[in-house]
Each structure stands twice: as structure tokens, then as C-alpha cells.
Amino acid sequence: SQTIHQWPATLVQPVGSPLSLECTVEGTSNPNLYWYRQAAGRGLQLLFYSVGIGQISSEVPQNLSASRPQDRQFILSSKKLLLSDSGFYLCAWRVRPYEQYFGPGTRLTVT
Amino acid sequence: GDSVTQMEGPVTLSEEAFLTINCTYTATGYPSLFWYVQYPGEGLQLLLKATKADDKGSNKGFEATYRKETTSFHLEKGSVQVSDSAVYFCALIPNNYGQNFVFGPGTRLSVLP
């Protein structure tokens, strides 16, 4: 079966510290992968998407970066976190042209 | 560009009440339409979808009909339960499936016993 994992589930980091969030999928190959952010009480903001290894598209300018070192691994990073980076980060996987599935999310609090 | 508009929440209902969450969209061509649900502390789950005009998506007692003439995809349920409390997102994919999903802002539903 197809599964998507995210870790950690929760994270509290001080301003200025680095960040690394990981997303992995199982049960498929060459998936389209996505990183979204959901600020408190807000909708979804698409941050990055990737259609293959090493291929990253950024939707908005920001303090974050993404990488895809392996086919089923998608990493979200920052060198120095800002308070505004707090939120719920969701990884998603496009299974078929019109079906997208989401991971359980990582709640990040920057203090 | 393509966009999705949802009624603002929060929506608070008593158990067994009728639910409607409005969703309208702006898109060129013929998008596919979706409702996703997010339970507290979790990721989004696909609730239902409709890929062409007049299609009705349904799941877990929820229904939505793709209305091209009114560019709408309203979510309905005849009798809500406390367990339906969640945030509901309306979304679309433009007619070119190579493009990304476009999500609405979400509507928070609270169902009281």
C-alpha cells in the first residue's frame, strides 16, 4: 500500500536555529511531492513541489528551501528560522493526475 | 488565475443538523473539484471529488454536486455528528492536470452534542 511519513511530528526551535523536516513515501516510484504550510487558523500555502530527484520548484520567496535527494524523500530546510516560520507543515504526494494525499504533518513553533 | 472561495467560518451546529458549506471557484476550462477534510492535529484527507459538470461526489454521508452554470461545489450533509468537527477545504485542479491543486481557505465546523 502507499504511505507517506513525516517527522518529527512536533518541533520547538529558537529563532535563528536551523531546520530540517523530512518526508518519505512508500509504495510508489517517481511521485510528485509537495510541501505546504498552514499558519494558525489559515489556509494552505504551497511552498515547494518536485516532479523528480533534484527538481524543485518554489512557489513563494521565503526563508525556506527544499531538496529531493532520493526519489521518495523530500526535505524542507532553513538555515535560520524566523518567528513567521511557525506553522503546520504538510507534505503531500500526487498519486494520480487528480488525487493528492497528505502526510500527518509537522507542527513547528519558533520561539 | 484560478481560485477557490469558501464561506467564512467557524460554522457551529448542533448534532443532527443539516450542513451546507458553500464553495465557488474561478477557473478557465473544466477543472476537477474536491473537498478535503482536516481533523484536529492531522493532515488533510480526501473526502470526495467530481471531475466533470453535474457529477455528484459522495462519501461518509457528505455530498457535493459540480455545478458549472454557477461555478459552485457546495458541500452538504443531512445530519452532522460531533465526529464531523473539522476544517473542510474546497479545492480544484485546472483542466490541465499538470498544474497544481488550488485550495480554498478552509471552513472550520464545530458540531455540539
Side-chain angles (χ1 to χ4, degrees), chain B residues 41-107:
Chain B
E42 299 183 7
L44 277 69
Q45 301 175 26
L46 178 63
L47 181 60
L48 53 85
K49 68 178 186 285
T51 57
K52 60 183 187 296
D54 299 326
D55 269 2
K56 177 186 284 188
S58 61
N59 186 24
K60 299 181 181 180
F62 291 89
E63 293 183 340
T65 301
Y66 188 149
R67 301 289 188 197
K68 190 175 188 310
E69 63 277 11
T70 54
T71 63
S72 65
F73 193 54
H74 303 323
L75 182 68
E76 297 181 337
K77 186 175 185 182
S79 177
V80 293
Q81 306 300 312
V82 172
S83 57
D84 294 326
S85 297
V87 180
Y88 292 82
F89 292 90
C90 186
L92 66 82
I93 290 184
N95 58 346
N96 177 355
Y97 290 143
Q99 298 186 42
N100 295 322
F101 272 74
V102 176
F103 284 88
T107 301

Side-chain angles (χ1 to χ4, degrees), chain B residues 7-18:
Chain B
M7 63 187 292
E8 290 193 20
V11 174
T12 303
L13 296 173
S14 298
E15 205 165 22
E16 298 184 1
F18 184 86

